[in-house]
Amino acid sequence: MRLVPFFLPGMGCPGKCVFCDQRAQTGVTYGGLERALISLTELLTTMDGSFALGFFGGTFTGLPPEWQKRFLEQAAQFRKNGALTHLRVSTRPDRIDRAALSLLQTGGVDMVELGVQSFSTPVLTASGRGYDGARAIRACEDVRDGGFELGIQLLPGLPGHDAGLWRKDAARVVALRPEVVRVYPCVVIGGTPLADMHARGEYTPWSLPLAVEETARAVLGFWRAGIRIIRLGLAAQPDMLARLKAGPWHPAFGNMVRSAALRLFLEERLAGLTGRIRAVWMPCALSGDLWGHGRANVPALARIGVTRERVKFWSETDIGVELSGPDPVPGEEQA
C-alpha cells in the first residue's frame, strides 16, 4: 500500500534520548499541536486515490488523549469515503497500556509501531530510554493482545550494544513475529548527548561494514520468518546530513544490506550442493541486489560458483539451480 507519513517530531515524548533529534531526522518543524493538526488536514485534502497514513516522529500515545482523538478523528474523515485504507501510529513501549490501546482501537488504528530500539536493559539504560527489556517485550505482547498489527523499530549500535546483543535482539523480534520491522543503525547527530559522548571518547559507533553485515544477518532471519522489512537506515534528510558527525550512514545502506543478506543465503544454500553449478535462476526482483553495491558480492559469489555467465533471471519467485548431470531442468533443485 502507499504509506503517507505524517511526522510529529518529538511531540508526546517524555524526554530526549541520547541519540535523538527528530527535527533533524524528519526535516519537519511545527509551532505546536494546533499547527500540526492544520498541516495534517492540508496534507489529507491533497491525497488522490487510496492510501495508508502513519503518525511518526514522536510518541503518539504520549500526547494528551484529547489531541490523540483530534488527530484520529481527522484521519477518520478520509476513512469514511474509502480513501484511507490503513492507519498506524508510532509510540514507545512505556506509553502503552490498556487505556492507550482502547483509545487507538476506538480511533480506527490498525497497526502500532513500537520504537523498541533494543531489548537489552543495559543498552536501554545507557541510551536514556527509561524502560527495560521486559517492558519492551510486554508492550509488544500488549499490542498483539489488543488486536493490532505490530511493528518494531530497532537501533543497532546504541551505547553498549555489541554484535552479540544485537543478534539476541533480532532473535527476539523473530519470536515476537511482528508484521513489519524497521532498522535504523545508530548514528551520531550533532547537538545530541550522544555527540557529546562521542566527542569525549565515551561512545564509538559501529563501522559501516559491521552495521551492514550484522543488519544483513538479522534481515535474513526476518525474511525466513516472513517479517516484512519496511526501512533500512535513516532517510537522507538535509538537516540530518548537515549535522551527521559519525556512524554507519550510507545512501545505499538498504541495498548494501539486502545484497549482503542474499549473499549469506546463497552461501548457506549452495555451498553444500554436490555437482558443478551450470546455472542459477534468480527472480528478476533480485537483479538489483545480487552483485552488491559496487559489485561487493562478486568475489564471494564466485567462490560458490555463482558467476555472471551462470546467472539467469526469470519471472518465478523461487531461486533455481541447474547442476551438472544428465538432462538438467532449470529450477529442478531449489536453493
Side-chain angles (χ1 to χ4, degrees):
M1 69 186 81
R2 178 175 54 138
L3 176 61
V4 177
F6 185 78
F7 295 104
L8 297 165
M11 294 181 178
C13 295
K16 188 174 181 180
C17 302
V18 298
F19 55 83
C20 187
D21 187 332
Q22 280 295 326
R23 288 172 176 80
Q25 290 166 227
T26 63
V28 175
T29 303
Y30 297 118
L33 289 168
E34 194 71 54
R35 178 63 250 182
L37 184 60
I38 293 171
S39 296
L40 174 64
T41 304
E42 292 171 347
L43 171 68
L44 293 177
T45 54
T46 65
M47 301 305 301
D48 292 322
S50 61
F51 64 96
L53 176 67
F55 290 100
F56 300 119
T59 302
F60 191 85
T61 56
L63 296 172
E66 61 271 21
W67 275 102
Q68 295 180 53
K69 292 176 183 177
R70 291 184 69 179
F71 281 110
L72 295 176
E73 287 169 357
Q74 186 60 51
Q77 299 301 312
F78 293 83
R79 191 147 217 170
K80 290 178 182 177
N81 63 17
L84 177 61
T85 59
H86 191 271
L87 181 61
R88 69 183 69 183
V89 302
S90 175
T91 191
R92 294 165 49 98
D94 57 349
R95 291 298 182 270
I96 284 293
D97 56 26
R98 184 171 296 179
L101 292 172
S102 177
L103 191 155
L104 297 181
Q105 192 171 53
T106 302
V109 172
D110 300 289
M111 177 184 290
V112 178
E113 290 196 35
L114 292 175
V116 169
Q117 321 313 4
S118 174
F119 293 97
S120 167
T121 296
V123 171
L124 293 168
T125 300
S127 303
R129 291 297 287 172
Y131 55 86
D132 59 15
R135 184 69 188 90
I137 294 170
R138 190 164 67 252
C140 293
E141 295 170 344
D142 288 346
V143 168
R144 275 272 187 251
D145 292 343
F148 298 92
E149 298 172 358
L150 173 65
I152 294 178
Q153 301 167 7
L154 299 171
L155 265 81
L158 288 165
H161 205 202
D162 59 21
L165 290 174
W166 164 245
R167 293 185 186 188
K168 290 180 180 179
D169 281 348
R172 175 64 66 181
V173 170
V174 169
L176 289 167
R177 295 293 176 109
E179 274 72 25
V180 300
V181 65
R182 301 174 189 264
V183 183
Y184 304 102
C186 188
V187 298
V188 180
I189 299 174
T192 62
L194 191 64
D196 296 334
M197 293 168 62
H198 180 256
R200 294 192 300 265
E202 298 170 0
Y203 170 73
T204 302
W206 283 10
S207 67
L208 181 61
L210 176 62
V212 169
E213 190 73 9
E214 287 300 325
T215 305
R217 291 182 183 278
V219 163
L220 183 54
F222 300 155
W223 282 348
R224 287 173 173 147
I227 300 169
R228 193 158 59 95
I229 302 112
I230 56 176
R231 185 73 202 181
L232 293 169
L234 289 170
Q237 287 294 340
D239 289 349
M240 187 274 292
L241 294 178
R243 294 168 54 189
L244 184 64
K245 300 296 183 182
W249 188 88
H250 192 283
F253 184 79
N255 171 252
M256 295 165 76
V257 168
R258 290 189 300 271
S259 295
L262 182 56
R263 170 181 55 79
L264 291 170
F265 174 78
L266 291 172
E267 286 175 342
E268 177 185 294
R269 301 302 294 271
L270 300 185
L273 293 179
T274 58
R276 179 176 176 274
I277 294 176
R278 296 178 58 177
V280 179
W281 297 76
M282 301 291 298
C284 292
L286 298 178
S287 61
D289 294 325
L290 177 61
W291 303 114
H293 182 72
R295 296 178 59 78
N297 280 353
V298 170
L301 293 180
R303 286 194 291 271
I304 58 173
V306 180
T307 58
R308 183 168 292 277
E309 60 271 15
R310 292 174 183 162
V311 172
K312 304 179 188 298
F313 292 98
W314 59 357
S315 59
E316 302 295 327
T317 57
D318 292 328
I319 297 174
V321 181
E322 184 178 334
L323 298 173
S324 58
D327 300 319
V329 177
E332 189 171 79
E333 286 203 44
Q334 297 297 316

